[in-house]
Amino acid sequence: MSHSLVNDRYIKATLRQETDRTPIWMMRQAGRYLPEYRQLRAEAGSFMDLCTNPELACEVTLQPLRRFPLDAAILFSDILTIPDAMGLGLYFTPGEGPAFKKVVRDEQTVKALPIPDPNQELKYVTDAVSTIRRELKGSVPLIGFSGSPWTLATYMVEGGTTKNFSEVKGLMYENPKAMHMLLDKLADSIIVYLNAQVEAGAQALMIFDTWGGVLTPHDYQEFSLRYMSKIVDGLQRQKDGQQIPVTLFTKGGGKWLDLMAETGCDCLGVDWTTDLSEARQRVDGKTALQGNMDPSLLYASDDRIREEVETILASYGHGSGHVFNLGHGIHQTVNPEKAGVFINAVHELSKKYHQ
Ligand code: CP3
């Protein structure tokens, strides 16, 4: 397998090396806003049928790259593959999001959870990674990913999507020992899972901490950040002489970027509630930054989108270390043409920040 990339802007920017313009990819860039995705999902049967078939997962990964000049591909999968592989029985109900047949609410259940073998129960994921790597033919890097321990725990304890996190916070406050045991087991599972993705060909890694921002500052450090830090320490950070950059993203974690930077990760994702200028001060040269346009700007006029891109580029300012992205996943009702306007604006307007 060749390791040289035709377009390595994403890798360089996450490592704070100079590029000719700011690289861009979009969270959830493969998905329901694309008609070709909806068609393939209908043919396959369901979302999980796409995820578990490496050829289809590869095809879906490549769909946005055929439309748009993106600087990175992201593995088409889900963060809930790990709890599913632990035996919880993941399923999706239209309009209600993900859910599990079994929940985890006591110490005994936590103790009985297995650490999934990435080469057995999760082999469909590493097979998808190697298939995608082959088909990308070195054009752009492939990002592998997982959820954070805290975010996975919220789904496992609640049994699905939740409004006020009563079950998971209840367990955290009533039985912190059981919660720590669960988070530690998840961290160990994620380390072997992500290292297996690297082994299969992932050239960068990202950890999605979608629900870290619902915690108090103290609890964030104890129940979320501590375990992401453990993962960063356990990851393979180099392969065949190439660095494997690691990005951490806590939605709503703008106030904690300085603490997150201390984990030794390479890049931090930022949502739209924090200005990149402030984020850049907070990380003080320790990491690159990824973000952070509000995904709802893609409902605005082309001119308004370009104006927002300019504002964000100016907020980050000159120099290396910025990966442009949305501040969260693209919404399913966005017109794909708007994504094209957004991506082209980043290409055009970012050049002057790299001279
Ligand atoms: O970014 C990408 O293009 C890669 C693929 C990807 C998916 N999910 C595909 C997906 C990634 C990186 C994820 C991560 C993920 N999954 C997160 C973290 C990121 C975030 O958005 O905060 C979370 C919290 C999940 C859990 C999950 N999976 C949710 C909440 C949903 C939506 C459920 C719904 O019905 O709205 C999913 C399903 C899912 N994952 C879809 C996609 C494209 C939609 C499934 C479909 O086709 O119906």
Side-chain angles (χ1 to χ4, degrees), residues 25-32 37 41 47 50-51 74-80 92-98 145 151 155 161 208-211 249 251 328-329 332:
W25 69 281
M26 295 186 298
M27 287 191 267
R28 293 272 179 98
Q29 64 191 20
R32 289 172 290 192
Y37 170 84
R41 190 188 59 176
F47 167 67
L50 289 178
C51 291
I74 181 160
L75 162 69
F76 187 81
S77 190
D78 200 77
I79 64 166
L80 301 176
F92 288 86
T93 30
E96 302 214 359
F145 71 89
T151 293
Y155 287 100
T161 310
F208 289 90
D209 185 31
T210 306
W211 301 123
F249 172 53
K251 185 158 183 286
H328 200 201
Q332 56 173 308

Side-chain angles (χ1 to χ4, degrees), residues 1-20:
M1 206 182 275
S2 161
H3 307 294
S4 58
L5 283 161
V6 176
N7 173 351
D8 62 356
R9 287 184 188 94
Y10 168 82
I11 299 287
K12 281 193 163 147
T14 52
L15 298 173
R16 286 171 292 135
Q17 296 165 7
E18 285 301 334
T19 52
D20 56 344

Side-chain angles (χ1 to χ4, degrees), residues 29-338:
Q29 64 191 20
R32 289 172 290 192
Y33 75 108
L34 293 176
E36 59 269 37
Y37 170 84
R38 295 195 298 268
Q39 192 187 333
L40 203 64
R41 190 188 59 176
E43 284 167 22
S46 72
F47 167 67
M48 279 312 281
D49 287 326
L50 289 178
C51 291
T52 53
N53 179 322
E55 296 298 327
L56 293 179
C58 173
E59 174 57 25
V60 171
T61 302
L62 299 179
Q63 283 176 345
L65 292 137
R66 294 202 186 100
R67 268 186 188 253
F68 311 119
L70 292 155
D71 295 299
I74 181 160
L75 162 69
F76 187 81
S77 190
D78 200 77
I79 64 166
L80 301 176
T81 51
I82 286 183
D84 185 52
M86 287 175 156
L88 298 196
L90 173 66
Y91 66 98
F92 288 86
T93 30
E96 302 214 359
F100 288 111
K101 294 195 184 110
K102 286 192 216 161
V103 292
V104 179
R105 289 185 182 167
D106 55 54
E107 209 168 307
Q108 246 181 330
T109 314
V110 173
K111 277 199 181 126
L113 289 172
I115 292 180
D117 181 344
N119 298 311
Q120 297 286 330
E121 301 90 82
L122 291 164
K123 191 168 183 298
Y124 66 90
V125 178
T126 48
D127 284 347
V129 170
S130 49
T131 306
I132 299 162
R133 241 330 265 285
R134 188 188 73 216
E135 293 306 312
L136 280 171
K137 300 187 176 75
S139 53
V140 291
L142 175 61
I143 305 168
F145 71 89
S146 87
S148 73
W150 167 254
T151 293
L152 294 185
T154 65
Y155 287 100
M156 295 168 77
V157 177
E158 297 286 341
T161 310
T162 173
K163 274 214 176 77
N164 50 17
F165 302 87
S166 45
E167 294 293 343
V168 71
K169 287 191 175 181
L171 183 66
M172 174 177 84
Y173 290 129
E174 283 304 310
N175 193 346
K177 183 169 159 249
M179 183 53 91
H180 280 301
M181 207 187 285
L182 173 58
L183 295 167
D184 203 51
K185 200 169 256 189
L186 283 167
D188 288 339
S189 303
I190 291 164
I191 290 168
V192 290
Y193 182 56
L194 290 178
N195 283 337
Q197 290 184 33
V198 169
E199 198 49 50
Q203 290 147 301
L205 296 171
M206 176 155 169
I207 298 171
F208 289 90
D209 185 31
T210 306
W211 301 123
V214 305
L215 291 166
T216 67
H218 176 84
D219 292 333
Y220 174 70
Q221 289 190 59
E222 185 177 340
F223 293 95
S224 183
L225 186 59
R226 174 171 155 191
Y227 294 96
M228 289 201 283
S229 189
K230 175 176 174 167
I231 294 167
V232 173
D233 288 342
L235 291 177
Q236 186 181 333
R237 301 289 286 277
Q238 271 202 345
K239 175 126 185 284
D240 307 320
Q242 302 288 312
Q243 286 276 106
I244 310 288
V246 177
T247 297
L248 302 184
F249 172 53
T250 293
K251 185 158 183 286
K255 297 178 296 299
W256 306 322
L257 292 167
D258 46 349
L259 298 171
M260 295 173 77
E262 283 167 24
T263 59
C265 68
D266 299 286
C267 180
L268 293 174
V270 183
D271 69 32
W272 61 90
T273 61
T274 301
D275 272 330
L276 287 187
S277 58
E278 193 187 326
R280 200 174 180 180
Q281 277 179 349
R282 226 162 249 178
V283 300
D284 194 26
K286 290 193 188 75
T287 68
L289 295 171
Q290 172 180 289
N292 67 342
M293 192 173 87
D294 181 347
S296 295
L297 255 301
L298 296 179
Y299 297 116
S301 68
D302 295 5
D303 282 348
R304 184 66 186 84
I305 293 170
R306 280 192 280 268
E307 187 189 316
E308 191 70 13
V309 166
E310 183 65 66
T311 302
I312 291 166
L313 288 167
S315 181
Y316 186 83
H318 274 82
S320 60
H322 181 202
V323 174
F324 218 111
N325 205 313
L326 300 170
H328 200 201
I330 187 168
H331 298 314
Q332 56 173 308
T333 53
V334 159
N335 176 349
E337 281 175 27
K338 293 291 181 179

